[in-house]
Amino acid sequence: MTTRNAVQSKRRSGLRDPVEQLRRMFEIRYFEEEIVGLFSEGLVHGTTHTCQGQEALNVGLAVTLNSDDFVACTYRSHGFALALGLTPEAALGEIMGRTTGCIGGVGGSMHLSAPELGLLPTFAIVGAGLPIAAGAALAFQTRGEKRVAVAVFGDGAANIGAFHEALNLASVWKLPVIFLCDNNLYGEYSRIETTTSVVDIAQRASSYSMPSEIIDGMKVDEVIASLNRAIDRARSGGGPTLIEAKTYRYAGHSRADLATYRPEGELESWLPRDPILVRQNELVASGVLTLTQVEKISEEERAGIARVIEFTRNAPFPQPDAIFKNIWTG
Amino acid sequence: MTTRNAVQSKRRSGLRDPVEQLRRMFEIRYFEEEIVGLFSEGLVHGTTHTCQGQEALNVGLAVTLNSDDFVACTYRSHGFALALGLTPEAALGEIMGRTTGCIGGVGGSMHLSAPELGLLPTFAIVGAGLPIAAGAALAFQTRGEKRVAVAVFGDGAANIGAFHEALNLASVWKLPVIFLCDNNLYGEYSRIETTTSVVDIAQRASSYSMPSEIIDGMKVDEVIASLNRAIDRARSGGGPTLIEAKTYRYAGHSRADLATYRPEGELESWLPRDPILVRQNELVASGVLTLTQVEKISEEERAGIARVIEFTRNAPFPQPDAIFKNIWTG
Amino acid sequence: MAQVRFRQAIALALADEMRKDPAVMVFGEDVAHAEGPFKTSEGLLAEFGPLRVRDTPISEMAFTGAGVGAATAGMKPVIEIMFMEFMGVALDMVVTEAAKFHYLSGGQFKVPMVIRASVGAGGGFGLQHSQTLENWLVATPGLKVVVPSDIQSAYELTRAAIRDPGPVVVLEPRALYGDRGALEQKEDGFLEIGKARIMRGGSALTVVSMGQLVGKSLEALAGMDAEVIDLSTLVPWDQECVSQSLKKTGKLVIVQEAPISGGWGHEILSLMVSKHFADLKAPPFIISPPNTPVPYGKELEELYIPQPAYIKEQIAHYLLTSQVPTPWWIQRGLI
Amino acid sequence: MAQVRFRQAIALALADEMRKDPAVMVFGEDVAHAEGPFKTSEGLLAEFGPLRVRDTPISEMAFTGAGVGAATAGMKPVIEIMFMEFMGVALDMVVTEAAKFHYLSGGQFKVPMVIRASVGAGGGFGLQHSQTLENWLVATPGLKVVVPSDIQSAYELTRAAIRDPGPVVVLEPRALYGDRGALEQKEDGFLEIGKARIMRGGSALTVVSMGQLVGKSLEALAGMDAEVIDLSTLVPWDQECVSQSLKKTGKLVIVQEAPISGGWGHEILSLMVSKHFADLKAPPFIISPPNTPVPYGKELEELYIPQPAYIKEQIAHYLLTSQVPTPWWIQRGLI
Ligand SMILES: Cc1ncc(C[n+]2csc(CCOP(=O)(O)OP(=O)(O)O)c2C)c(N)n1
Ligand SMILES: Cc1ncc(C[n+]2csc(CCOP(=O)(O)OP(=O)(O)O)c2C)c(N)n1
Ligand SMILES: [Mg+2]
Ligand SMILES: [Mg+2]
């Protein structure tokens, strides 16, 4: 555990380096791509929700927060967990239900947790993370701490009551919380305009007299800059912010969903904006990396994930006693 | 029942006459004033919420709707029920728990109901009426009927999740429903600015791309005009509207609440705008009524309520078998 | 008879009722274009169109409430709660509004609404997507609750629920959606709401079960002289049927998926003991999962749910000794 | 000892814990400036200020969730749900989040949160503001539920709940808020969560009750040789205490405010029968309200709630005949 903590804090702090950011995005991408295969193999039980294409948001959030800030994410959080520093072993172990998982393999893909990194148990109920993040911010405010909480949620979640109640409460109490909407255009199999009465989720901030921003969620630098503005506001007592990041969900909603409901060519139209591609081009253009070096990083990450999978295939399953632990708070 | 229905439809249709509107406002005012006394006498059990000062909204709504339109009101609905045509006997009977009550005395002050007038069982759970009114509108839309549904709710209810979800759903489905917010500045003992992150509730309509209006809820003509615009839009397939009526709750929140938390002089500042005063001055100014005639109407209504109270004091209490009726739908 | 899957039996029931009655409509998250997250509304949008078959925003409170309102205004809405746990954001509409509207209108308003929710463990969905939670729906006079246990009862109870004049919750065991078998489509003579089903006659023992555990119980008791009752309706449950069986056998065992603390079986056991104390030949008891969250992971989840082998072992011991058997988690000293 | 009202005992418990522990904070609708709709937070805003004592918008989902988040981040929030029914718009936060967070974090996060809710009939608030609804909170491993029955237990259970490291729901019988009596304020040695209270010893009969029916049971049984147990904690309830009593008396009666269908008493009865079948001298049974909504109107509401005279008559008949007595609604042929 402590060694894992050491590795994790290094993974977290190292992320300030743009090259590490690129590396982490590769890690997340390959991790998610492999999950789909493991699911088909039957090694991932139940369901899983991957985030290919949204790596800039994952990494951007991790770069801007301190480890004692709190983050409430959703079932679609492998990428956020890895970005925040969780080891791929701890993430995959949980997803594959092994004792090496971050909660010992009794939670599964929707339930990652890493208190040491500020990651609250990820939320499987749409909207639930928003009031709870506001509550963490309430604790920080009440104790006069400069910490912040972030709630990450989807476009679809912006239609549920908890969204409305949480934003109003956060605004009335001026809580140090950031509401980060990951607008990937779909809630399950439904495109946003079929379920949502506004074009931009950010527009709803006016209902709470709350500052808001709309950003390109495919650009890690834009994510970082926007979050920094909101976090500074929150830390300095300026209250909550609603940020809408425009992203795209490359894969289907969950496990084997092929997303055949998407309009012809929609995915393709997003690929040129791929967050990894964008970041790597920037780094190459500015001479920080050569294409060969990028290739090398990519291959290293691909190989790393392969090793993690090998490791986890052989990791033990939890024993029956695991079911009876951590139910009643001692 | 049928005789009551006859009386009620006359009470409803007669309301198009401005003089009848004044008369009904007097009826509601005296009715509510007496309730407080009956409560202190112990003749009204539990709790009760009165609406003195909001009679223009009550009457304005009743004038603009057809009897086959649906209305979802709150626990603060004696005035709406009387305006829609419910007899004071049926209303007071319910409030005093007698068999003469509109549901036989097993509901009480918060639970009036009059299907024949379109009045849904009034809602004791804040916000619950909004999705349900939207659902009635959904039925009308699905069958291609020109009927509408109205949800009346308070300023405080605009902070609950059901408000958000209902307005989004109504907008996405373009439902023939009107959301009428009775902003009387208080939710229980809390003034609006202490709980609400916008100044005008109507501002929240933009979160749902929904047309909205802010009106003076103390002026019956303004209420009627605004509702007619919204109802016409709904009947002609134009979808939902949010109307915010600025009113004032003369009395406390419920039963014996003396509302000592209100700023000095706030009530007094509203009295010159009293809906009954305004309407009677208009009628006198335009020569429709003389002050003596107004006096006479006022006295007739006061006497009428006295008779209803006498009648209800002597009305029978329900027998135990009443508890077992209407539970399971046969 | 057509061979169909459990989930298709539900879709067929919805389609057959929609054809018969234009007041029936269906809405919920992704039930229209995607034909349901579990494909339980296959073909409905295509046949009945976007007015009667609608996708909703992620707003359980709003669309459950819309069901209440639409029902009150003369429709017969069938709404879908994808996973039972999601009713936790909309329970008010089910138990405080729908169930009480008839009473609150002096019997004048009816709420002929059906609320379908998938329930239970076995799919590896983890502890927030695997519970049955019938307990949320009890202690609510006016609300009926039915639980199909096989393809035929899924079809018939769904149709019966739609025809019921009041609100009915249908709890569908998610683990059964993929089951394949024969279905007899019919236009009437459905299983009655409020009536239990005797799945197999017997005289040594009365076993009362529900949902996905009915099949497991039948498998477990193959060859034993046990009367196996599928409660089928939890509210109001069929006291007469259980009474008759118990009078005959004098031994009662409940087999439930709900955890031992707070599960539905206690009410059956309790009322039957008060009524048939003199007839009892041995202590009645409940076979259930332990009092823990539903674990993720195939092995643990399988262990959590009472399986046929375990049910058989428990009941064999009971018949042999007339003593209440020790559950596995005590046997293994896990608590 | 100070003479206080039940509602003041709660306010005093909150104040005493807030003085001891700066992490304790209180929020809910009108709990601060108005000092609580039922005056259960009298004096708190004045003493502890607006950071730790807050009025909330009408947003049960948000402020219950805020309690979960604040607890996870190291505070000890005490939130107030004015009427139990309002939990129907926020249940997700209580049972699906708060109760499962510890498990979901591999035991690393704690949620030391208290959810207070007023429950029950007797105030004439009508059928949507008068239920006890304990059933919403069961079948939820990880969530504790306590129910005070008098001034002293209101004070002690509130303090014990705040000190508990996990989430605890306190269900306060609204009908008792106005009761006046002696209170002993103490700094420790509170009633333990999970322990029942033997209110009076006896050997002929074991009566298990909870909340406002404990007092009514004691009154009803004055002079009878009955052991009266206040369950005090519903989850996890004190099986040991009831077992010991039942071994002695061989007769068990539950007296509950919850309706007969879906009420909490079935679990007590069921588990005790499975465990003590051989010790039972007569059929155990439950005294409860009928399976109907809570009626408005003094007389009907009084009839609905089991009153001392009725409890006495039922139990006298039971002791005399060893038979389960017929409830009043059957006696009068009302169903
Ligand atoms: C209250 C609730 N309703 C429904 C669901 C089922 N569900 C899981 S994810 C999802 C879609 C959410 O879409 P969005 O908020 O856009 O997030 P995304 O999946 O796109 O990241 C739904 C409907 C749920 N988990 N919780
Ligand atoms: C869900 C829910 N929470 C709390 C309450 C308690 N309550 C009843 S009325 C009320 C105030 C509502 O204020 P507003 O919406 O402005 O309506 P008004 O009373 O002013 O007409 C509250 C908090 C309730 N009935 N339902
Ligand atoms: Mg999305
Ligand atoms: Mg108000």
Side-chain angles (χ1 to χ4, degrees), chain C residues 297-311:
Chain C
K298 255 194 163 37
E299 290 73 10
L300 292 187
E301 194 176 20
E302 263 171 40
L303 176 67
Y304 173 91
I305 305 166
Q307 302 297 343
Y310 174 68
I311 298 168

Side-chain angles (χ1 to χ4, degrees), chain A residues 49 54 74-76 124-126 153-158 160 182 184 186-188 249 253, chain C residues 29-30 58 60 82-83 86 89 129:
Chain A
H49 309 76
Q54 306 183 221
T74 73
Y75 46 84
R76 194 181 304 285
I125 304 296
V126 166
F153 58 98
D155 46 292
I160 203 157
D182 165 8
N184 59 15
Y186 289 87
E188 276 192 1
R249 199 190 68 197
H253 166 63
Chain C
E29 290 156 10
D30 292 310
I58 307 170
E60 281 78 6
M82 200 183 306
F83 285 78
F86 310 161
V89 302
H129 287 65

Side-chain angles (χ1 to χ4, degrees), chain D:
Chain D
M1 281 194 295
Q3 293 288 312
V4 303
R5 294 199 186 277
F6 187 100
R7 57 173 178 74
Q8 293 171 309
I10 293 164
L12 289 167
L14 296 171
D16 290 345
E17 280 300 307
M18 290 182 85
R19 271 182 219 113
K20 254 199 137 61
D21 184 349
V24 180
M25 66 187 299
V26 170
F27 50 95
E29 290 156 11
D30 292 309
V31 300
H33 293 88
E35 304 189 312
F38 303 112
K39 288 271 180 279
T40 50
S41 41
E42 225 167 26
L44 298 186
L45 175 62
E47 179 172 358
F48 303 102
L51 274 178
R52 288 174 67 193
V53 183
R54 303 182 183 221
D55 289 321
T56 65
I58 306 170
S59 309
E60 281 78 8
M61 182 72 83
F63 72 75
T64 308
V68 178
T72 307
M75 298 301 287
K76 293 184 181 171
V78 179
I79 69 145
E80 175 173 300
I81 302 285
M82 199 182 307
F83 285 78
M84 179 61 187
E85 283 82 354
F86 309 161
M87 210 180 279
V89 301
L91 194 64
D92 179 68
M93 287 297 161
V94 181
V95 309
T96 310
E97 308 303 338
K100 295 175 170 61
F101 244 55
H102 189 57
Y103 188 90
L104 280 171
S105 66
Q108 295 185 72
F109 277 121
K110 293 181 192 307
V111 185
M113 159 186 203
V114 175
I115 299 156
R116 297 177 42 243
S118 81
V119 301
F125 288 104
L127 73 166
Q128 290 178 335
H129 286 65
S130 301
Q131 302 164 95
T132 55
L133 295 170
E134 307 88 356
N135 56 291
W136 289 1
L137 305 169
V138 299
T140 301
L143 185 67
K144 295 178 179 174
V145 182
V146 302
V147 186
S149 65
D150 57 26
I151 289 162
Q152 193 64 33
S153 67
Y155 176 83
E156 295 190 21
L157 287 175
T158 302
R159 293 197 70 173
I162 294 171
R163 292 187 185 188
D164 191 278
V168 180
V169 179
V170 183
L171 300 178
E172 302 170 357
R174 196 177 310 107
L176 303 182
Y177 279 141
D179 285 7
R180 230 183 131 67
L183 171 68
E184 181 200 352
Q185 275 170 276
K186 36 165 102 163
E187 284 313 308
D188 41 42
F190 306 129
L191 290 172
E192 273 178 62
I193 294 178
K195 292 256 171 290
R197 296 197 296 165
I198 297 180
M199 306 300 286
R200 183 200 304 142
S203 58
L205 171 76
T206 299
V207 172
V208 177
S209 190
M210 210 167 65
Q212 72 161 309
L213 283 178
V214 172
K216 291 180 189 288
S217 299
L218 286 167
E219 188 183 331
L221 297 165
M224 292 193 203
D225 180 20
E227 186 144 284
V228 180
I229 297 173
D230 172 6
L231 208 53
S232 186
T233 297
L234 178 61
V235 184
W237 61 278
D238 191 344
Q239 299 202 22
E240 191 47 36
C241 174
V242 181
S243 275
Q244 290 309 330
S245 179
L246 193 51
K247 274 191 208 148
K248 186 171 58 177
T249 65
K251 293 187 180 171
L252 175 65
V253 177
I254 314 282
V255 183
Q256 71 183 24
E257 182 174 350
I260 186 63
S261 176
W264 58 268
H266 294 302
E267 174 168 338
I268 316 298
L269 195 154
S270 161
L271 291 178
M272 288 296 106
V273 167
S274 294
K275 192 167 171 200
H276 295 292
F277 188 69
D279 304 318
L280 293 175
K281 300 181 189 148
F285 72 100
I286 296 175
I287 297 174
S288 79
N291 197 23
T292 72
V294 180
Y296 173 77
K298 255 195 164 36
E299 290 73 11
L300 292 188
E301 194 175 19
E302 264 171 41
L303 177 66
Y304 173 90
I305 305 166
Q307 302 296 343
Y310 174 68
I311 297 168
K312 180 176 184 167
E313 159 210 312
Q314 290 270 301
I315 287 179
H317 172 283
Y318 176 65
L319 288 174
L320 196 69
T321 63
S322 289
Q323 297 298 317
V324 175
T326 313
W328 61 264
W329 55 93
I330 307 280
Q331 288 174 30
R332 302 195 191 184
L334 293 172
I335 60 169

Side-chain angles (χ1 to χ4, degrees), chain A residues 231-271:
Chain A
I231 290 168
D232 292 346
R233 178 181 298 119
R235 293 202 202 279
S236 58
T241 303
L242 173 61
I243 299 174
E244 176 182 9
K246 305 282 191 184
T247 68
Y248 191 71
R249 199 190 68 197
Y250 286 9
H253 166 63
S254 65
R255 35 178 177 168
D257 170 26
L258 300 175
T260 49
Y261 43 82
R262 296 191 299 201
E264 188 62 44
E266 186 178 71
L267 170 60
E268 294 64 25
S269 72
W270 280 83
L271 295 181

